Amino acid sequence: MTEQKSFNVKKVAVVSHNYNLSNSHGHQDFAEHTSRIHSVCDGEWCDTLLYSLFTWDENSPIRRNHQTIFGELKNVRCVILEVGNKKTPNKFVEVWLKEEERPRIMSQCFAKSSDLYERKRDFIRSIPKRIVGNALIAICGESNIVNYIPSNGNFRDEFAFNGELEARGVRVVFNPLHDYMRRHEMKKKRAYYSRNQRLVITVWNMGRGRESSIPWTVFYNEANITTQVREVLPQIKGRLDIRIGIVPALPVMTSGYARSAVILRKTANEGVL
């Protein structure tokens, strides 16, 4: 598994649902409805689909293969999903690329800021394998790779994670979650990762309770631009809980070069804010 430079993310769809509801197979996943979901996103000219986690039950009778994922889609080139359910001990993320017959497989290294140093180090070492073109995938609690310091509002980035993003030309960070993270500092961390015109996209399942009414956030250049995400309805009978958000196609998403090679110009009319 190596860095993929031939594909750069341009337009993203995020997909969520209520993970307490079962489909006709008795599974609390998306598998039964992926064909319709992918068709809707393809019609919106999206090239990348980011699902909330617990995406595809490993016991689902619906086969996970290149044909199932892409079929006759014209625009979708990348689908990011997780295999496993709430009780699965060894869940893993699959990144399906239209140009590759088999998925790239990634596993979560750690979940909390208090987790062992060695697990965080493993995540940093895995960064080359987490990069797909101009994007990087951080699974659920791996977004806790930095610590927020409430006393001064700064961040302790002991692994120089943001420096890694800059050096490797990462313009988009995908951070799919299992469910809603309530701690207030999570949004601050997403804003931190979005510095220097980077897009940070997070999506989670609904159903935990005491959660946001919108199951995703998008940060760009330290600003929360979630309100710019346009929601579309997949119109799946009996599943009004399935929600799709179309993330604005910002100019920064079209390039995958290291920022150190570019002179940034900050003018009043740049950006999206």
Side-chain angles (χ1 to χ4, degrees):
M1 192 185 303
T2 58
E3 293 185 20
Q4 174 78 5
K5 291 298 183 183
S6 62
F7 169 70
N8 281 326
V9 174
K10 294 181 181 178
K11 190 173 183 180
V12 179
V14 288
V15 188
S16 175
H17 73 159
N18 185 329
Y19 67 179
N20 295 318
L21 300 181
S22 299
N23 60 26
S24 64
H25 303 293
H27 298 141
Q28 298 166 326
D29 69 354
F30 292 94
E32 183 178 29
H33 304 296
T34 52
S35 177
R36 173 58 184 166
I37 293 169
H38 294 187
S39 177
V40 170
C41 296
D42 197 61
E44 293 286 340
W45 296 85
C46 295
D47 55 69
T48 303
L49 274 64
L50 178 66
Y51 278 95
S52 54
L53 302 180
F54 300 133
T55 316
W56 204 300
D57 195 302
E58 70 267 36
N59 298 311
S60 174
I62 300 172
R63 296 182 62 186
R64 243 172 29 261
N65 55 41
H66 194 275
Q67 177 61 29
T68 304
I69 299 296
F70 294 106
E72 302 301 320
L73 301 179
K74 294 180 173 60
N75 301 303
V76 175
R77 295 180 60 196
C78 176
V79 177
I80 303 166
L81 58 87
E82 184 185 57
V83 178
N85 58 51
K86 296 174 187 175
K87 297 181 180 180
T88 305
N90 297 309
K91 297 177 284 291
F92 54 91
V93 166
E94 290 183 341
V95 180
W96 288 86
L97 294 169
K98 197 168 187 178
E99 291 78 11
E100 300 179 9
E101 191 64 28
R102 303 298 302 167
R104 302 182 181 201
I105 297 176
M106 308 172 184
S107 298
Q108 185 174 350
C109 294
F110 73 100
K112 301 177 181 179
S113 297
S114 58
D115 281 350
L116 293 174
Y117 176 92
E118 289 76 14
R119 293 182 181 177
K120 296 179 181 178
R121 182 187 60 197
D122 288 344
F123 168 66
I124 295 297
R125 288 177 174 175
S126 75
I127 283 178
K129 296 181 179 180
R130 300 296 189 94
I131 293 176
V132 180
N134 59 350
L136 176 139
I137 299 162
I139 305 169
C140 202
E142 290 175 342
S143 56
N144 287 308
I145 192 65
V146 303
N147 294 92
Y148 175 67
I149 305 172
S151 61
N152 58 20
N154 293 327
F155 296 88
R156 181 163 61 89
D157 190 353
E158 63 179 319
F159 294 95
F161 180 61
N162 263 21
E164 286 278 352
L165 298 178
E166 288 292 301
R168 296 180 183 276
V170 174
R171 309 313 320 141
V172 185
V173 175
F174 290 126
N175 180 217
L177 310 180
H178 294 100
D179 43 32
Y180 182 62
M181 290 182 171
R182 298 190 184 117
R183 294 186 65 88
H184 69 93
E185 66 266 27
M186 296 315 303
K187 288 185 178 180
K188 293 180 174 63
K189 291 180 180 181
R190 294 167 196 164
Y192 173 74
Y193 303 135
S194 76
R195 288 180 176 179
N196 293 332
Q197 301 180 35
R198 187 176 295 111
L199 200 68
V200 177
I201 304 173
T202 304
V203 61
W204 56 87
N205 293 294
M206 300 173 288
R208 180 183 181 184
R210 293 175 53 209
E211 59 197 0
S212 168
S213 60
I214 300 175
W216 50 69
T217 61
V218 178
F219 283 80
Y220 175 71
N221 212 28
E222 298 189 70
N224 188 338
I225 64 165
T226 303
T227 57
Q228 296 187 32
V229 177
R230 177 172 56 88
E231 187 164 357
V232 297
L233 299 177
Q235 297 181 337
I236 298 172
K237 185 177 180 179
R239 292 302 304 266
L240 296 177
D241 62 296
I242 296 178
R243 300 173 66 177
I244 299 174
I246 309 300
V247 179
L250 304 177
V252 72
M253 298 171 68
T254 63
S255 57
Y257 43 72
R259 297 300 281 188
S260 58
V262 180
I263 298 175
L264 297 179
R265 293 180 300 117
K266 295 185 178 180
T267 63
N269 60 355
E270 280 187 321
V272 296
L273 305 180

